[in-house]
Every structure is written in C-alpha cells, then in structure tokens.
Amino acid sequence: MDPAIISALIAFAGSVIGTFAGVLTSSKLTEYRLRELEKKVEKHNNLVERMFILEDRINVQEEKIRVANHRIEDLEGK
C-alpha cells in the first residue's frame, strides 16, 4: 500500500477520534452545568414556596392583631 494512503488513513482516524472525544467532553461539561443549574433552580423554588407560606402566616397574624385591637376598643368603650 502507498505510504501516502496510509498516512491519510491515520490522519482520518485521528480526526475522527479527536472529534468524538471533543463531542463527548463537551457533552459531559454541558450535563454537569445543567445539573448544577437545576440544583440552583430547586433551591430558588424552595425559597419561593417558603416565602409563600411565611406571607400566609403573616396575613393570619395581622388578622388576629386586628381582631384583638377591635376587641380591646370594644372593651374600652364600655
């Protein structure tokens, strides 16, 4: 076989292997970044849910304070 053909085949094989290795590495990096981003989004969603619960509790406490103040005003008026 001609040495030029052998060199071309070796170069082609090296290019193919290099391309697949690059794609694989890039894919792994992308998956890692997506996992980290999903963790951050989950933390944010958890915070939003907790804030919603706290806001609801604050509304209940404010209503209790309004009722207590109204009862105090009624007692003071008697």
Side-chain angles (χ1 to χ4, degrees), residues 31-65:
E31 288 179 24
Y32 170 75
R33 286 181 161 179
L34 281 174
R35 280 193 306 272
E36 293 301 311
L37 184 59
E38 287 173 350
K39 288 178 186 177
K40 288 181 181 180
V41 168
E42 185 61 35
K43 285 181 183 179
H44 178 264
N45 288 344
N46 189 18
L47 175 66
V48 170
E49 290 173 7
R50 290 187 349 222
M51 286 302 295
F52 178 76
I53 292 169
L54 288 175
E55 288 173 352
D56 191 45
R57 287 182 182 175
I58 288 171
N59 290 336
V60 169
Q61 293 301 321
E62 287 175 347
E63 180 63 27
K64 286 181 179 181
I65 290 170

Side-chain angles (χ1 to χ4, degrees), residues 3 12 26 38 41 51 55 69 71-73:
F12 176 72
S26 176
E38 287 173 350
V41 168
M51 286 302 295
E55 288 173 352
N69 285 336
R71 291 177 70 190
I72 290 170
E73 288 174 2

